[in-house]
Amino acid sequence: MDNSQIQDFDRYDLKGQRRALLLRINHSGADSDLEIMKKLFNDYGVQFEPPVIDKTAEEMKRAVSDFRDSINGSKEDISCVFVVTTSHGNRDVIVGADNKRLLVKDIIEPFGDELCPKMKGKPKVFIIDACRGPRKDLGVPLDSAADTTTSEEDEKTRTYRSSRVPPCINDMLVAYSSMTDYVSLMSDLGSHMIVNIGEVFGSATEEEHVYDLLVKANAKMVMRSSSGDTTKKVVMTIESTLKRLLYLGRKTGTGTTNLERNHISGAAIITRSRMVTCLDEIPEPKRKDTCFLS
């Protein structure tokens, strides 16, 4: 289905501003992650302001609240919000520069309808790039026999997942860099999640909406982590309460996307970084994977 066949009520209206907040805790590849996100935001018409870098858990929580308050207080029409976090983490928390924990729900829930009425009925996209537990996924060979045994680790993960209440607000799309209870991977090139998101969104067409692009990025990430020299693989988790399709269009070079044909401005909090090329262009020895667990 192309965009000419999609009715207005089937997609979110993105004629207003698009705003983004980025939280970053320093780790190997963090500068590359930020460069990738800077390019992605530029491609889709988002301007950048000063960064939130290496802050304590409480300072990051306050930065999220301040960002939310700036949206509520804005006189402009704001059509879409992004919050991107690249950090160390564990079960449904990210870790600040002070090694204290910030609940993921404290990043997502401030943008719910009651606390952020300005964004009621509008899409909120959260990219959470951090470990979600201590486990490592070693994969299963295609020709292996079924293994019905349950380890103590498996049982702990199953118990946690069955009791977990994920943060949830209306019109949200949340992409986590790994499954619940598993580590995320990164290298000097950037985290596996951000590198693959950057490549997929960078070559996207106007006919592809954000959810499908994240699925494509996940597929690339799984294939790369499974076929490389690492013995671990990573799989994204995507949670959504979107009620329409979210199309970002493409920037034409003047702050306008082909899809919307309107002026777009916005505020993103991001930082300094260096340019990084795609994984396939970097010699394999530089791809030394580590994890985000803290």
Side-chain angles (χ1 to χ4, degrees), residues 27-30 32-33 36 86 129 177 185-187 189-196 292:
H27 57 78
S28 174
S32 298
D33 283 347
I36 291 166
T86 176
D129 187 28
S177 54
L185 296 179
M186 59 187 174
S187 72
L189 306 177
S191 67
H192 287 211
M193 181 195 205
I194 297 297
V195 167
N196 286 288
F292 283 105

Side-chain angles (χ1 to χ4, degrees), residues 250-261:
R250 293 295 292 171
K251 188 178 179 184
T252 62
T254 59
T256 306
T257 61
N258 293 328
L259 183 60
E260 296 293 347
R261 292 290 179 188

Side-chain angles (χ1 to χ4, degrees), residues 37 107 112 135 187 276:
M37 292 309 304
I107 296 173
R135 300 194 64 182
S187 72
V276 64

Side-chain angles (χ1 to χ4, degrees), residues 17 19 69-78 118:
Q17 291 185 353
R19 297 201 176 182
D69 292 344
S70 73
I71 291 170
N72 281 334
S74 176
K75 296 181 180 180
E76 301 293 334
D77 176 32
I78 299 173
K118 181 84 171 182

Side-chain angles (χ1 to χ4, degrees), residues 238-289:
I238 303 171
E239 298 174 353
S240 174
T241 61
L242 294 182
K243 295 187 278 291
R244 300 180 181 183
L245 299 177
L246 176 56
Y247 290 91
L248 295 180
R250 293 295 292 171
K251 188 178 179 184
T252 62
T254 59
T256 306
T257 61
N258 293 328
L259 183 60
E260 296 293 347
R261 292 290 179 188
N262 63 281
H263 176 69
I264 297 169
S265 61
I269 300 184
I270 201 159
T271 185
R272 69 202 183 275
S273 53
R274 58 179 175 81
M275 184 58 68
V276 64
T277 54
C278 75
L279 282 171
D280 294 333
E281 296 172 354
I282 299 295
E284 196 67 30
K286 293 186 179 180
R287 294 177 57 186
K288 183 179 180 181
D289 295 322

